[in-house]
Amino acid sequence: LAENLTKVLYPNDNTMAGKELRLRQQYFFTRCSLADILRRFVDDNGSADWSKLPEKTFIHLNETHPALVIRELMRVLVDEKKLEWDAAWAITQKCFAYTCHTLLPEALEVWSVDLLGRLLPRHLEIIYRINEEFLDEVRERYGDDEMRIRNMSIISEFPDRSVRMAYLATVASSKVNGVAKLHSQLLREKVLPDFNE
């Protein structure tokens, strides 16, 4: 079973077993990478002053597949390192940049809330809190524009309740871009116009 995590990258996810394997795989790779990053940060700095993490660490999310690392960093900082939520979130947002590779909204990666809740319940709790606080900021700026709130929510309600990974990566990143200048422009205008605004 352990070998299945590393045997085939991007397993066929047309079945529930394939989806579950892909989610486990994404978590495994991002968790291991983050553990190594944080270990090296402490080794190189002689201490764990987490407020200095963004000065030494910048993680590029090349598409949404590694976006689970956002929730994992929050989990580590809050649950293991005992930072206050706001401090952990400020650090997290400074540590990430996201490159979106698609211009098709329907091609953006989503994960079922049911699957995430079953495999990574703490991560789902973190996503809900990130989303709640982000939507509070949207309401402060735009009022109770329900269509905008629904369009910008990290949690999609239709057709099934799911987590929009591109939205999570966008909200958590200090920089967002496409793969070229024109692509970035189309991303701003067509895929993420509310976020761009």
Side-chain angles (χ1 to χ4, degrees):
L1 286 174
E3 283 181 0
N4 285 339
L5 283 175
T6 58
K7 195 178 283 185
V8 177
L9 191 59
Y10 302 123
N12 184 337
D13 63 354
N14 290 331
T15 65
M16 186 49 72
K19 283 180 175 44
E20 184 172 320
L21 176 57
R22 187 176 284 208
L23 181 60
R24 287 179 186 276
Q25 203 177 59
Q26 285 184 10
Y27 177 67
F28 173 75
F29 286 124
T30 57
R31 173 65 184 118
C32 292
S33 297
L34 182 64
D36 186 52
I37 289 167
L38 297 180
R39 178 193 56 76
R40 285 188 288 151
F41 169 75
V42 172
D43 288 351
D44 291 349
N45 295 287
S47 70
D49 181 354
W50 300 109
S51 67
K52 300 214 180 305
L53 184 65
E55 296 171 20
K56 305 290 184 178
T57 301
F58 199 72
I59 301 168
H60 177 223
L61 304 172
N62 191 20
E63 195 48 89
T64 56
H65 307 304
L68 288 172
V69 73
I70 295 163
R71 300 171 307 200
E72 182 62 11
L73 179 56
M74 283 298 292
R75 187 194 67 74
V76 169
L77 292 176
V78 171
D79 294 353
E80 294 179 13
K81 308 306 179 189
K82 306 302 182 194
L83 270 67
E84 294 295 323
W85 177 273
D86 290 343
W89 184 237
I91 290 166
T92 296
Q93 285 185 299
K94 291 175 189 167
C95 285
F96 290 101
Y98 165 51
T99 298
C100 182
H101 285 248
T102 186
L103 291 174
L104 302 171
E106 64 274 12
L108 297 173
E109 185 177 49
V110 296
W111 283 109
S112 154
V113 164
D114 291 340
L115 180 60
L116 270 170
R118 186 164 48 82
L119 294 183
L120 299 166
R122 178 62 177 136
H123 289 76
L124 186 58
E125 288 175 8
I126 290 168
I127 291 170
Y128 278 136
R129 181 156 178 191
I130 291 169
N131 191 51
E132 180 181 322
E133 292 185 3
F134 171 66
L135 292 180
D136 285 346
E137 289 176 28
V138 173
R139 285 185 185 95
E140 278 180 34
R141 188 165 190 169
Y142 296 103
D144 288 327
D145 181 345
E146 281 305 314
M147 186 57 72
R148 179 182 293 272
I149 291 165
R150 190 177 308 134
N151 288 342
M152 295 181 78
S153 177
I154 296 167
I155 308 297
S156 173
E157 300 295 336
F158 302 104
D160 298 308
R161 202 145 205 263
S162 56
V163 176
R164 297 188 261 207
M165 298 304 289
Y167 289 16
L168 176 64
T170 300
V171 169
S173 294
S174 59
K175 305 283 183 200
V176 178
N177 61 276
V179 294
K181 186 175 180 180
L182 176 61
H183 190 273
S184 293
Q185 179 184 336
L186 292 171
L187 192 63
R188 285 191 299 271
E189 294 171 359
K190 306 287 185 198
V191 182
L192 300 169
D194 290 324
F195 290 90
N196 179 57
E197 188 177 316

